[in-house]
Amino acid sequence: MRFSALSLLTNALTANARWPRQWRSPEPKSAYDAVIVGGGGHGLATAYYMAKEHRMTNIAVLEKGWLGGGNTGRNTTIIRSNYLYDESAAIYEHALKLWEGLSRELNYNVMYSPRGVMMLAHNTHDVQSFKRHIYANRLNGIDNEWLTPAQAKAFCPPLNIAKDIRYPVVGAALQRRGGVARHDAVAWGYARGADRLGVDIIQNCEVTGFRRDAAGAIAAVETTRGLISTRRIGVVAAGHTSVVMARAGLRMPLESFPLQALVSEPVKPIFPCVVMSNTIHAYISQSDKGELVIGAGTDQYVSYSQQGGIHVTAHTLDAICELVPEFRRMRMLRNWGGIVDTTYDRSPIIGRTPIPGLFVNCGWGTGGFKATPGSGHVFAWTIAKGEPHPIAAPFALDRFRTGRLIDEAAAAAVAH
Amino acid sequence: MLLITCPYCGPRPEIEFRCGGEAHIARPADAEALSDAAWADYLFYRTNPKGRHAERWIHQHGCQRWFNAVRDTASDAFVATYRMGEKRPPGTEGEP
C-alpha cells in the first residue's frame, strides 16, 4: 500500500484502525541467494538496494533483536558530508544526495531536514583544520563555508559568543545542506521498501555460526532459527561485528566503545540548526518533538554494555551550558549508549573478507547514521557483483595491510 | 564511573586512569622480516571480545604507573588487576 493524501484521508475516516502491517514477519526459508546479517539502517538499506537495483529478491535480513534497535535508534541523527579526503567526500556526499530524495524514493517520510550543521572553532588549530576542510570540500564540490563568530550567532541566535568564556567561539564551519532525519523512520522505510520487493526480514534471529564448503567458501549460516543455506553473506553488525566475525574465525581491525547521547524535556522551537564542537566535545540539535538531542563522547575502554560513565555526559553538558547558557535550567529526560565499532583511521570498512562469499560493512564508528543510504547502496553493489563498488573500493579491509589508510580523525568529530 | 583497583594504590575512581587498550600484544622482535599482513595484525587487529578482556591501564593522576587488568566488556566489571610483567591471573580466561 502506498502512502498518499487519499490513503491518509481514508484511514482517518476509519479512526486509523485499519492500517495494514508495513512488512511481513516470515519464517526463514532453508535457502536464500544472499543473507544480510544485521537489521539496522545500513543492513536494511543494503537489502533494499540489492532488491531494487540488482534484482536480488530471494534474500533475507537476519536481525538478532528488533529492527533499528541498535545504533540506528540510538544516534543523534546528524547528516553531513564535510569530510576531508576525496574517498570520504565521495561516499558521504553519495549518501547526502540519496538523503535528499529518500522520502520520495521510499514513499516514507524520513523527515530529512537540511537545517545546517555548524562546527565551532575554539582555537587556532581548529581554525586551520576547519579551513583546510572547507577548501578540500569545495574542491570536491561539497558546500562548506567559514563564518565569523557574529555570523555564527546570526545563524544560531542562542549561541554564546562571549570572549571571556573558557573556550570562546572564534569562528565556525557551516555546511548548509547538512541536517537531521528521523532515525526510526529510516529503518522502517527501508524495511517496508525491501519487504515490498520480496525481501524476508527475520527478527529475533541471531547468527551463531558459519559453514563453509570444501573450497573454504561460504555455504550456509547457522542461526537460532535454523540452518540457512546461502553462498553470499553481508555482515552489517555495527558494534558487534567483531563478535559475529569471530564466529567465522576472523579477527577485525576494530574496537567497540560505548558512545552516549541524551535528550532533554521537550520545549518550543529554540534551536534552529545542528551545532557541533569537537574541541570541547558537544553536539546538539532540537528534534521535531522539541527535545534537545545531545551527543556526548565515547568511553575510553572497549565495552558492549550500551551505557557509559556519567562523567562523560557531565563533561558534554558542561560545554553545552557554556555555549548556550539558557539551557542551564533544562532537565534531561533520558540518556543511553550505543556500541560503536571504530577503526584506527576512523573510516569504515566495506567489501570482501578473506573468506569467499563473506562480505562486511562496518567500522562506521561514531558517524554511521549519515552514511546509511550511501553505505547500503554501495554495499548492495559490492555483494551483487562480488567486487567493490568504485566508491567503496578505497574502504577495503586490505587497506590495513597496504597502509593506504584514510585518516578522518579530525572530521569524525567525536574525540576518542 | 568505574571503581578501579590500582595494584599499587588501591581502589580509585576511573577519572584518575587512562586505558591503554588490549594487553599482552608483544611487539614483533624482527619487524624487518615481518610480512605486511602480520604487521597489520600487530598494529590494527584487535580481539575486541564481548566478555573477559585483558587490557592496559595507567594510573595517570595517581602513581602514574602502568598495570594490566581483566575486565568483562559485557558488564564492565573488573575481574582482576595485576602488575606489568606478571602473567594474566589463572581463572580469568573465558566466560565469567
Side-chain angles (χ1 to χ4, degrees):
Chain A
M1 189 207 70
R2 280 188 71 77
F3 291 120
S4 63
L6 184 64
S7 75
L8 288 178
L9 181 65
T10 315
N11 280 282
L13 293 173
T14 53
N16 287 314
R18 293 188 192 167
W19 286 105
R21 285 183 182 276
Q22 297 299 309
W23 54 83
R24 298 165 295 130
S25 185
E27 285 299 312
K29 291 193 273 188
S30 62
Y32 288 99
D33 293 341
V35 164
I36 304 298
V37 180
H42 288 241
L44 292 165
T46 304
Y48 173 78
Y49 291 115
M50 283 173 77
K52 170 103 188 297
E53 303 207 342
H54 304 285
R55 307 278 176 238
M56 293 183 70
T57 52
N58 182 32
I59 64 175
V61 177
L62 309 182
E63 166 55 45
K64 179 176 67 169
W66 63 93
L67 297 188
N71 294 349
T72 300
R74 293 167 184 272
N75 66 80
T76 50
T77 78
I78 295 168
I79 295 167
R80 59 187 174 89
S81 63
N82 53 354
Y83 282 68
L84 182 61
Y85 291 103
D86 295 350
E87 297 88 344
S88 317
I91 194 162
Y92 290 107
E93 182 63 14
H94 181 53
L96 188 59
K97 292 211 168 99
L98 288 170
W99 278 115
E100 287 168 344
L102 194 58
S103 291
R104 185 179 295 268
E105 162 84 22
L106 297 175
N107 177 234
Y108 203 91
N109 188 3
V110 299
M111 297 166 74
Y112 168 58
S113 164
R115 58 184 68 177
V117 171
M118 192 163 72
M119 301 172 89
L120 303 179
H122 300 280
N123 53 46
T124 305
H125 173 79
D126 285 352
V127 173
Q128 291 169 346
S129 172
F130 286 171
K131 286 192 173 173
R132 184 181 176 208
H133 279 70
I134 289 169
Y135 301 140
N137 290 157
R138 286 188 179 173
L139 287 171
N140 279 312
I142 294 169
D143 74 303
N144 199 353
E145 60 194 273
W146 179 253
L147 302 184
T148 63
Q151 288 170 322
K153 187 165 177 71
F155 190 73
C156 182
L159 192 66
N160 178 11
I161 55 167
K163 290 189 172 141
D164 59 349
I165 62 176
R166 175 66 184 83
Y167 294 100
V169 176
V170 297
L174 172 65
Q175 184 177 26
R176 292 183 191 270
R177 290 159 64 232
V180 293
R182 171 87 200 282
H183 47 12
D184 297 325
V186 176
W188 298 336
Y190 274 122
R192 174 172 170 270
D195 179 83
R196 286 175 61 184
L197 294 167
V199 176
D200 281 359
I201 297 167
I202 301 157
Q203 301 179 66
N204 298 307
C205 179
E206 181 175 358
V207 168
T208 53
F210 297 87
R211 292 204 187 163
R212 297 161 70 177
D213 62 18
I218 287 292
V221 59
E222 298 165 7
T223 78
T224 50
R225 294 177 68 175
L227 185 71
I228 299 171
S229 298
T230 185
R231 305 296 297 181
R232 285 182 230 181
I233 297 175
V235 174
V236 200
H240 280 69
T241 300
S242 293
V243 176
V244 174
M245 297 302 267
R247 290 171 188 165
L250 289 182
R251 273 161 65 84
M252 295 296 291
L254 293 172
E255 287 190 295
S256 297
F257 301 107
L259 176 67
Q260 294 186 71
L262 59 165
V263 293
S264 74
E265 58 192 333
V267 290
K268 288 188 175 179
I270 179 171
F271 209 72
C273 61
V274 180
V275 168
M276 314 177 62
S277 167
N278 307 1
T279 297
I280 52 179
H281 205 273
Y283 37 107
I284 182 167
S285 63
Q286 188 173 21
S287 74
D288 291 327
K289 271 193 289 185
E291 301 158 326
L292 300 177
V293 181
I294 295 169
T298 57
D299 282 286
Q300 53 174 327
Y301 45 80
V302 168
S303 176
Y304 290 85
S305 66
Q306 290 190 328
Q307 58 190 10
I310 194 72
H311 58 287
V312 176
T313 42
H315 177 73
T316 290
L317 291 174
D318 286 347
I320 298 277
C321 289
E322 191 170 67
L323 287 175
V324 193
E326 59 248 64
F327 289 165
R328 284 179 186 175
R329 288 161 67 193
M330 295 284 288
R331 284 169 293 192
M332 294 298 139
L333 286 192
R334 302 187 301 281
N335 71 321
W336 63 88
I339 303 305
V340 299
D341 43 327
T342 54
T343 56
Y344 186 82
D345 60 359
R346 309 301 178 213
S347 287
I349 299 167
I350 311 167
R352 291 183 288 222
T353 68
I355 298 176
L358 183 62
F359 299 82
V360 70
N361 182 355
C362 65
W364 290 95
T366 56
F369 177 74
K370 67 174 77 69
T372 304
S375 158
H377 189 261
V378 300
F379 194 47
W381 201 100
T382 302
I383 297 175
K385 298 191 187 286
E387 58 187 71
H389 185 285
I391 291 177
F395 298 99
L397 181 59
D398 198 44
R399 76 174 184 272
F400 295 96
R401 184 185 63 80
T402 62
R404 294 189 65 84
L405 302 185
I406 304 162
D407 185 355
E408 290 289 358
V414 175
H416 43 219
Chain B
M1 189 179 301
L2 306 178
L3 188 64
I4 302 175
T5 304
C6 171
Y8 303 97
C9 312
R12 294 286 190 280
E14 178 195 335
I15 50 169
E16 293 186 12
F17 297 84
R18 290 297 299 169
C19 184
E22 187 170 348
H24 307 304
I25 299 174
R27 184 182 172 90
D30 190 2
E32 289 293 314
L34 215 58
S35 69
D36 288 349
W39 187 242
D41 191 67
Y42 162 68
L43 282 181
F44 304 122
Y45 284 68
R46 294 294 178 262
T47 312
N48 197 25
K50 186 174 189 176
R52 288 183 173 178
H53 185 224
E55 56 200 10
R56 301 176 302 171
W57 287 79
I58 181 171
H59 193 184
Q60 184 78 57
H61 304 288
C63 64
Q64 300 196 343
R65 277 189 277 196
W66 284 96
F67 62 93
N68 288 325
V70 176
R71 189 176 50 85
D72 185 338
T73 61
S75 67
D76 292 338
F78 279 83
V79 179
T81 55
Y82 51 103
R83 298 182 183 199
M84 278 289 160
E86 293 177 0
K87 286 215 161 59
R88 182 168 171 159
T92 63
E93 305 283 342
E95 296 301 311

